[in-house]
Amino acid sequence: MNRHTGMSIVFDLDGTLVDSAADIHAAVNRMLADAGEAPMSQEKVAGFVGHGIPTLVRRVMADRAAPAEQEPEWLSAMLAHYAAHPADLTRPYPGVPKALAALQAGGYRLGLCTNKQRTLSEQILDALGLAPFFSAVIGGDSLPVTKPDPAPLHTAFAALGGTPLLYVGDSEVDAETARRAALPFALFTEGYRKTPVEELSPQIAFSDFVQLPGKVAALAALGAVAQ
């Protein structure tokens, strides 16, 4: 049962393990209300997600032609609103807890690498009962750089130890991070991606988390043969 104990897998959070768009949207609209601005659609906000909250705030401000010197005030408001309600509407994608449990039972070491601040990420994992699955959490504020720079992903794998097997994400940012890190990439196709699957060149693509443990086992077997 534990033949894969030496292998580690790192996951992205937003759009991969959890659908957090509704809570991010709600926090953005509370931030906009504080600034006397009209609300923004969830679809538009979702298009700004992927590079962390500071970048999200800058993109919202640019859309509203807000003065750049107001960024600290807007960012502070966004973080406060989101921290107060990080998981009211956020939910794991179907099959996520069961897939993580199966991988953990199979002896894989699991970690998280996200551009969301570490404390917020841990709040969400705790609220949704996912925290026990992860031995390492690297957030957007854990290092001076964020994804797609490969350093956060390398740091997550280093914290897990063992042999890096796979990075699991949903977006263009995640695909580029894996490419720069020279690591196999598994694409969850139902997240926040805008680019066609084939253009992201994943080693694995899956639309349902029930498929993931089997695909991981097949990849691990190939790695064992290669060694």
Side-chain angles (χ1 to χ4, degrees):
M1 190 68 171
N2 291 318
R3 65 180 185 273
H4 301 304
T5 300
M7 294 183 174
S8 52
I9 303 169
V10 173
F11 292 82
D12 173 53
L13 181 61
D14 300 280
T16 300
L17 295 174
V18 302
D19 185 356
S20 54
D23 278 319
I24 294 172
H25 175 237
V28 165
N29 279 342
R30 292 185 185 108
M31 174 188 71
L32 287 169
D34 288 348
E37 294 279 343
M40 185 176 285
S41 72
Q42 182 168 317
E43 182 180 7
K44 191 164 195 177
V45 171
F48 295 155
V49 170
H51 290 268
I53 289 176
T55 299
L56 166 66
V57 170
R58 284 192 289 272
R59 289 172 173 174
V60 172
M61 290 182 67
D63 181 80
R64 296 302 168 90
E69 59 267 23
Q70 293 181 3
E71 184 180 326
E73 182 181 344
W74 284 55
L75 179 58
S76 177
M78 176 65 189
L79 289 172
H81 288 308
Y82 193 36
H85 302 277
D88 288 6
L89 305 170
T90 297
R91 296 291 180 270
Y93 283 102
V96 163
K98 189 172 182 179
L100 294 176
L103 291 170
Q104 193 175 63
Y108 297 99
R109 306 174 188 186
L110 307 182
L112 191 81
C113 182
T114 172
N115 277 343
K116 178 167 284 169
Q117 284 84 343
R118 180 174 176 172
T119 300
L120 281 170
S121 301
E122 290 175 337
Q123 280 183 263
I124 292 168
L125 293 176
D126 285 338
L128 301 180
L130 300 178
F133 294 115
F134 297 101
S135 301
V137 176
I138 301 299
D141 54 352
S142 296
L143 296 175
V145 295
T146 59
K147 300 182 298 181
D149 190 294
L153 185 55
H154 286 312
T155 300
F157 276 113
L160 290 173
T163 303
L165 175 66
L166 186 66
Y167 177 50
V168 184
D170 72 292
S171 70
E172 294 81 357
V173 172
D174 295 321
E176 178 66 9
T177 304
R179 187 190 68 78
R180 293 192 194 182
L183 289 165
F185 178 55
L187 176 69
F188 175 56
T189 61
E190 306 308 295
Y192 303 153
R193 165 186 58 86
K194 305 167 194 69
T195 304
V197 171
E198 57 273 15
E199 290 185 23
L200 298 182
S201 304
Q203 279 68 41
I204 293 172
F206 66 103
S207 60
D208 188 333
F209 267 85
V210 73
Q211 303 166 336
L212 185 60
K215 289 179 177 289
V216 167
L219 182 66
L222 285 175
V225 168
Q227 291 173 6

